[in-house]
């Protein structure tokens, strides 16, 4: 695996591969890698002779500066895991590389998707995600980009970004990788204390509770029951919502046919966790 820190060096290496007709798979991450990330790398490496992983804790997508400051960093372990998983190039830029002085700010027209759920609770978050992913897509020009369903709304935002900016990249959304007890793997799990770690699987249990108990008609009582379960166990819940799986429009009355997803964002202490479960088979975050 080759490690590069500047866009110029990255492009020099990738140019050689492109000229040889080799396709490029790309996995953007913020590091503190776990099996969810590694699944993305392995999927990319299976489909492309060249797999690029970026590790960059992107300051513009953090609406909470304390969360940014405490974001876990485990770079030595990350490098070993990437090498084992078949990554070809690791792009590890510094903040100044991605955000030079006087870097212009583009306003991405994401529409309604930016107003709900994560968009509502983390103002500016998706603009920051678009800003960095746009730069990375311009630098890497990947044929395939591999992202996780764990960040359901982000998958939809990135799909929209690709259309808005005319990138030629195909998106591949991969399943959420979980711990044995159901907790979605997340870099932020490293920040949970043992008591919080014991409680954290309740998020997935609550999502499954909604999946098992949903019936056509009004969904308010089911959402309220799900919220109170988390509340009772000490979570500070931003939302438990049921939404249209294709648009993320909030659904309060279900006709029994509309394709749905249930999504949660909740804090344990100052650690914010998100997760989601599709409520119908054959649905995907990105068509
Ligand atoms: P992050 O490092 O958290 O920005 O995540 C980088 C990529 O890994 C994103 O596409 C995430 O959706 C994906 N990802 C994070 N956690 C998981 C997981 N548990 N399962 C699958 N993909 C994941």
């Amino acid at each position: 695996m080759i490690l590069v820190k500047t866009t110029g060096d990255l492009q020099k290496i990738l140019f050689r591969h492109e000229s040889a007709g080799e396709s490029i798979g790309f996995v953007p991450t913020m590091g503190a890698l776990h099996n969810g990330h590694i699944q993305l790398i392995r999927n990319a490496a299976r489909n492309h002779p060249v797999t690029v992983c970026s590790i960059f804790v992107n300051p513009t997508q953090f609406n909470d500066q304390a969360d940014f400051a405490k974001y876990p960093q485990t770079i030595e372990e990350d490098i070993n895991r990437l090498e084992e998983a078949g990554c070809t190039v690791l792009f590890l830029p510094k903040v100044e590389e991605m955000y030079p002085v006087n870097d212009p700010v583009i306003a991405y027209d994401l529409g309604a998707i930016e107003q709900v759920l994560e968009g509502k609770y983390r103002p500016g978050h998706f603009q920051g995600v678009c800003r960095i992913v746009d730069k990375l897509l311009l630098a890497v020009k990947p044929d395939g980009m591999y992202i996780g369903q764990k960040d359901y709304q982000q998958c939809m935002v990135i799909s929209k970004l690709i259309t808005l900016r005319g990138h030629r990249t195909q998106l591949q959304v991969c399943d959420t990788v979980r711990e044995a007890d159901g907790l979605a793997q997340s870099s932020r799990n490293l920040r949970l204390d043992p008591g919080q770690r014991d409680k954290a699987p309740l998020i997935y249990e609550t999502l499954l509770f909604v999946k098992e108990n949903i019936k056509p008609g009004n969904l308010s009582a089911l959402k309220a029951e799900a919220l109170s379960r988390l509340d009772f166990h000490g979570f500070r819940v931003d939302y438990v919502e049921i939404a249209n799986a294709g648009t993320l429009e909030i659904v309060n009355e279900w006709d029994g046919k509309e394709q749905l997803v249930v999504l949660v964002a909740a804090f344990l202490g100052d650690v914010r966790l998100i997760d989601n479960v599709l409520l119908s088979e054959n649905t995907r975050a990105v068509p």
Side-chain angles (χ1 to χ4, degrees):
M1 184 173 76
I2 301 171
L3 192 161
V4 286
K5 297 193 169 180
T6 67
T7 307
D9 285 348
L10 176 67
Q11 287 178 324
K12 264 186 229 151
I13 290 167
L14 295 181
F15 180 72
R16 273 185 245 139
H17 290 291
E18 270 162 19
S19 307
E22 292 175 341
S23 71
I24 298 171
F26 177 45
V27 179
T29 79
M30 297 205 295
L33 301 182
H34 49 66
N35 290 338
H37 299 116
I38 295 305
Q39 168 199 230
L40 303 180
I41 299 287
R42 288 195 199 284
N43 286 345
R46 202 172 299 128
N47 294 334
H48 307 273
V50 183
T51 298
V52 179
C53 175
S54 61
I55 296 183
F56 181 64
V57 185
N58 174 35
T60 65
Q61 75 186 67
F62 285 82
N63 52 316
D64 173 358
Q65 282 315 299
D67 186 29
F68 175 60
K70 287 187 199 162
Y71 201 84
Q73 308 224 18
T74 59
I75 191 64
E76 297 299 324
E77 291 96 317
D78 291 355
I79 289 173
N80 291 336
R81 296 202 67 180
L82 286 172
E83 227 149 13
E84 255 173 53
C87 181
T88 333
V89 180
L90 169 59
F91 183 43
L92 193 62
K94 292 213 169 15
V95 172
E96 310 81 79
E97 177 69 17
M98 300 317 288
Y99 295 111
V101 178
N102 295 330
D103 184 50
V105 182
I106 298 172
Y108 298 92
D109 182 9
L110 300 173
I113 194 150
E114 202 183 0
Q115 310 307 321
V116 293
L117 304 167
E118 292 301 281
K120 179 170 159 190
Y121 285 90
R122 302 187 67 189
H125 169 65
F126 287 129
Q127 289 296 320
V129 168
C130 285
R131 207 168 155 197
I132 193 63
V133 173
D134 198 12
K135 284 169 184 283
L136 290 168
L137 286 173
L138 285 170
V140 179
K141 295 198 279 314
D143 298 273
M145 173 162 154
Y146 293 73
I147 58 176
Q149 191 204 299
K150 150 106 183 351
D151 296 275
Y152 194 92
Q153 194 170 4
Q154 177 170 277
C155 294
M156 295 173 69
V157 164
I158 292 174
S159 171
K160 179 113 196 206
L161 169 76
I162 287 176
T163 309
L164 280 176
R165 302 284 286 163
H167 293 292
R168 62 175 185 106
T169 301
Q170 197 77 33
L171 261 191
Q172 305 285 345
V173 177
C174 304
D175 291 346
T176 301
V177 175
R178 300 181 178 283
E179 302 288 355
D181 59 13
L183 174 64
Q185 296 213 348
S186 165
S187 307
R188 287 188 176 85
N189 293 350
L190 292 173
R191 293 186 45 222
L192 297 170
D193 70 29
Q196 292 167 337
R197 176 63 190 81
D198 284 349
K199 280 186 183 171
L202 261 160
I203 292 182
Y204 184 54
E205 282 168 35
T206 303
L207 293 168
L208 293 182
F209 167 79
V210 170
K211 183 169 181 166
E212 278 152 23
N213 289 284
I214 192 164
K215 291 186 195 76
N218 191 284
L219 301 178
S220 310
L222 181 61
K223 289 186 200 182
E225 169 67 21
L227 191 143
S228 78
R229 281 174 176 231
L230 289 169
D231 197 47
F232 177 79
H233 287 96
F235 289 81
R236 186 157 54 82
V237 180
D238 271 354
Y239 58 81
V240 181
E241 269 301 355
I242 299 171
N244 179 294
T247 63
L248 283 188
E249 209 173 302
I250 304 303
V251 175
N252 295 313
E253 288 285 335
W254 187 41
D255 62 5
K257 295 187 202 117
E258 191 175 357
Q259 310 252 290
L260 302 177
V261 57
V262 53
L263 310 102
V264 166
F267 285 89
L268 275 172
D270 66 350
V271 184
R272 189 172 184 276
L273 302 172
I274 61 170
D275 198 357
N276 66 83
V277 163
L278 287 162
L279 298 179
S280 3
E281 305 309 322
N282 306 321
T283 325
R284 294 166 62 205
V286 174

